[in-house]
Amino acid sequence: MVRSLAALLTAIALSVAGAVWLRAQVADGDPPPPGNLPGFWRSTLEHVDAEVGAVRVGTVETIATSPGGRPVYAVRYGERDELHSQANYNSAVAAQSPAWYARKDETTRPVALFLGPVHGQEVEGVVGLVNLIHVTETGTDHRGRAWPELKSRLDRFRVLIVPSGNPDGRARCPYDSFVGVPTRTMTKYGQGTRRDGSLYGWPGAKAVHPMKGDVGILGAYFNDAGVNPMHDDFFLPMADETRAILRLARDEAPDIAVSLHSHESAPVVLQASYVPVFMKKRIRDLSRRVKQRYEQKGLPYGSVVDPQVEDKTPGPSRYFNLTSALHHVSGAMAFTFECSHGSVGEEATAVTHDQILDVQLLLYDEMLRYALEERLYWRVPDSEG
Ligand SMILES: [Zn+2]
């Protein structure tokens, strides 16, 4: 069946006035995108543009342009301390001190990196980070709710916010929310379909990379060139988005970094593979804190997972992903966070739009609290200071 792909994909129309982005369309037979979304639910690229355009306290930089011609923004807050960097991270560790890469002590600001969704259908992270920018700028989220503790913590940090890590994927997703939408629909637009309309699903969506060839709907996992930044080639990145994200971490040496994702089940902190066990223990401790924080607010949480050691698993099953790469390029305490979509399915966790925003902002607050209370200092060895 030959379907009009143009109707399914976001197309670029050149008008007399300049480029106009057309919104992605839902295919016949799929549930309509939820209407009447709350005003604080700012999940589109237009919302990102508006928020970034209103930044006054921070600075905004376009760190990459996607294959579809869309900007990847980084918003920065707080002064950047001199890192006295004389080596890249892995060479510094080989010289027995990460301080040769970045000096961190009581006089330097901790750095936090919030990486927005690299999977375009995982819109909840965009909502969270647009609201985080608003809190950082004004003290309140887009509900008008004040976050005084979060704001005072933010003010002590150097904060790096990438509201959308894959704007091409986001533009191709016709759903601005999946609350009340079947998980299957989320999967269809997130991971994409073959030409015959069958869903790639998992693990099919990862078995072709870059995703090219037998493609009906190109999933929002991918940029317009078919690259899923979570599984790029990190030693030879295919996507400029990936390269820019890694460069940002390399240049800023974040103490803590999150890659924001979503799935149908309960929110949870996930470990990256192939990072040192001491770092995995820290991530487990953060996971416990986030779970506690959510329980106090009546929010769901998955399970706290103990650190795993990859070498003990038979055969290749664990993989080095973007989160692992963020650690190895910067030494950051890097982890993946999965939010709930609020979609409908057998394994799905029901959450409201309000709860999703709380899940996001409480996570950010716990990250900053943890990084302040449990900060790692990187000092040059005494004999060489
Ligand atoms: Zn994801």
Side-chain angles (χ1 to χ4, degrees):
M1 182 173 63
V2 178
R3 254 194 259 204
S4 169
L5 290 181
L8 299 176
L9 305 177
T10 297
I12 303 165
L14 291 173
S15 72
V16 180
V20 172
W21 305 109
L22 296 183
R23 300 302 307 279
Q25 300 291 310
V26 170
D28 289 346
D30 285 333
N36 295 324
L37 294 170
F40 64 80
W41 190 263
R42 304 198 177 196
S43 71
T44 68
L45 294 180
E46 291 77 10
H47 289 133
V48 169
D49 279 342
E51 197 69 40
V52 160
V55 165
R56 297 290 175 270
V57 180
T59 61
V60 178
E61 185 191 353
T62 297
I63 58 171
T65 301
S66 70
R70 299 178 179 89
V72 177
Y73 299 113
V75 185
R76 293 172 164 96
Y77 293 96
E79 286 151 47
R80 182 181 191 279
D81 287 307
E82 172 55 49
L83 302 176
H84 302 283
S85 186
Q86 63 177 57
N88 59 322
Y89 178 72
N90 82 64
S91 188
V93 173
Q96 301 195 314
S97 175
W100 300 125
Y101 158 65
R103 293 195 201 181
K104 298 185 185 205
D105 60 27
E106 297 84 347
T107 69
T108 64
R109 277 176 185 263
V111 180
L113 168 59
F114 299 92
L115 173 58
V118 294
H119 293 155
Q121 84 281 15
E122 295 166 8
V123 302
E124 297 72 20
V126 177
V127 174
L129 293 181
V130 165
N131 276 274
L132 181 65
I133 293 171
H134 206 66
V135 170
T136 313
E137 292 276 330
T138 69
T140 65
D141 65 23
H142 277 293
R143 294 176 293 202
R145 190 173 302 172
W147 290 81
E149 289 183 359
L150 171 58
K151 175 73 168 89
S152 74
R153 288 190 185 104
L154 286 162
D155 290 344
R156 296 171 64 184
F157 272 76
R158 172 124 168 118
V159 178
L160 315 166
I161 302 172
V162 178
S164 170
N166 177 0
D168 284 357
R170 179 63 193 91
R172 250 185 284 105
C173 177
Y175 291 83
D176 296 339
S177 160
F178 288 97
V179 172
V181 174
T183 295
R184 182 185 160 82
T185 306
M186 182 276 294
T187 304
K188 177 176 178 178
Y189 288 92
Q191 298 176 331
T193 71
R194 300 179 186 83
R195 289 198 190 102
D196 66 5
S198 60
L199 272 58
Y200 266 108
W202 182 87
K206 299 191 179 188
V208 185
H209 198 213
M211 178 56 77
K212 289 182 177 171
D214 188 3
V215 177
I217 294 171
L218 178 61
Y221 260 32
F222 308 97
N223 70 8
D224 282 359
V227 177
N228 170 0
M230 203 62 182
H231 291 294
D232 206 330
D233 270 326
F234 299 105
F235 299 103
L236 298 163
M238 297 182 270
D240 285 348
E241 297 92 319
T242 315
R243 193 183 299 273
I245 289 162
L246 294 177
R247 188 182 297 120
L248 179 65
R250 162 69 180 84
D251 291 349
E252 295 275 0
D255 294 69
I256 192 163
V258 62
S259 172
L260 293 171
H261 292 254
S262 300
H263 60 186
E264 67 168 347
S265 36
V268 70
V269 167
L270 296 181
Q271 298 275 357
S273 293
Y274 300 108
V275 300
V277 170
F278 84 91
M279 198 55 92
K280 291 178 177 176
K281 287 180 177 166
R282 290 170 61 83
I283 293 163
R284 176 202 55 201
D285 294 346
L286 172 69
S287 178
R288 284 190 182 132
R289 288 184 179 214
V290 173
K291 181 182 169 75
Q292 255 183 8
R293 190 80 183 268
Y294 286 2
E295 281 171 357
Q296 287 165 7
K297 296 282 179 183
L299 297 168
Y301 191 80
S303 31
V304 175
V305 179
D306 281 327
Q308 308 280 314
V309 179
E310 291 82 10
D311 291 351
K312 290 183 178 170
T313 60
S317 61
R318 303 194 178 258
Y319 45 86
F320 188 102
N321 66 11
L322 177 59
T323 309
S324 317
L326 283 171
H327 168 75
H328 284 283
V329 82
S330 71
M333 176 180 162
F335 64 96
T336 301
F337 182 76
E338 296 277 359
C339 185
S340 304
H341 285 293
S343 59
V344 180
E346 276 181 25
E347 308 285 320
T349 297
V351 284
T352 64
H353 291 107
D354 254 308
Q355 288 178 316
I356 290 172
L357 181 52
D358 284 341
V359 161
Q360 294 286 330
L361 291 172
L362 291 171
L363 168 73
Y364 309 156
D365 194 31
E366 272 315 301
M367 283 173 61
L368 300 182
R369 200 157 75 106
Y370 183 90
L372 283 172
E373 292 176 6
E374 305 293 336
R375 191 169 183 210
L376 296 178
Y377 293 121
W378 291 347
R379 307 177 204 274
V380 296
D382 277 348
S383 59
E384 300 174 77

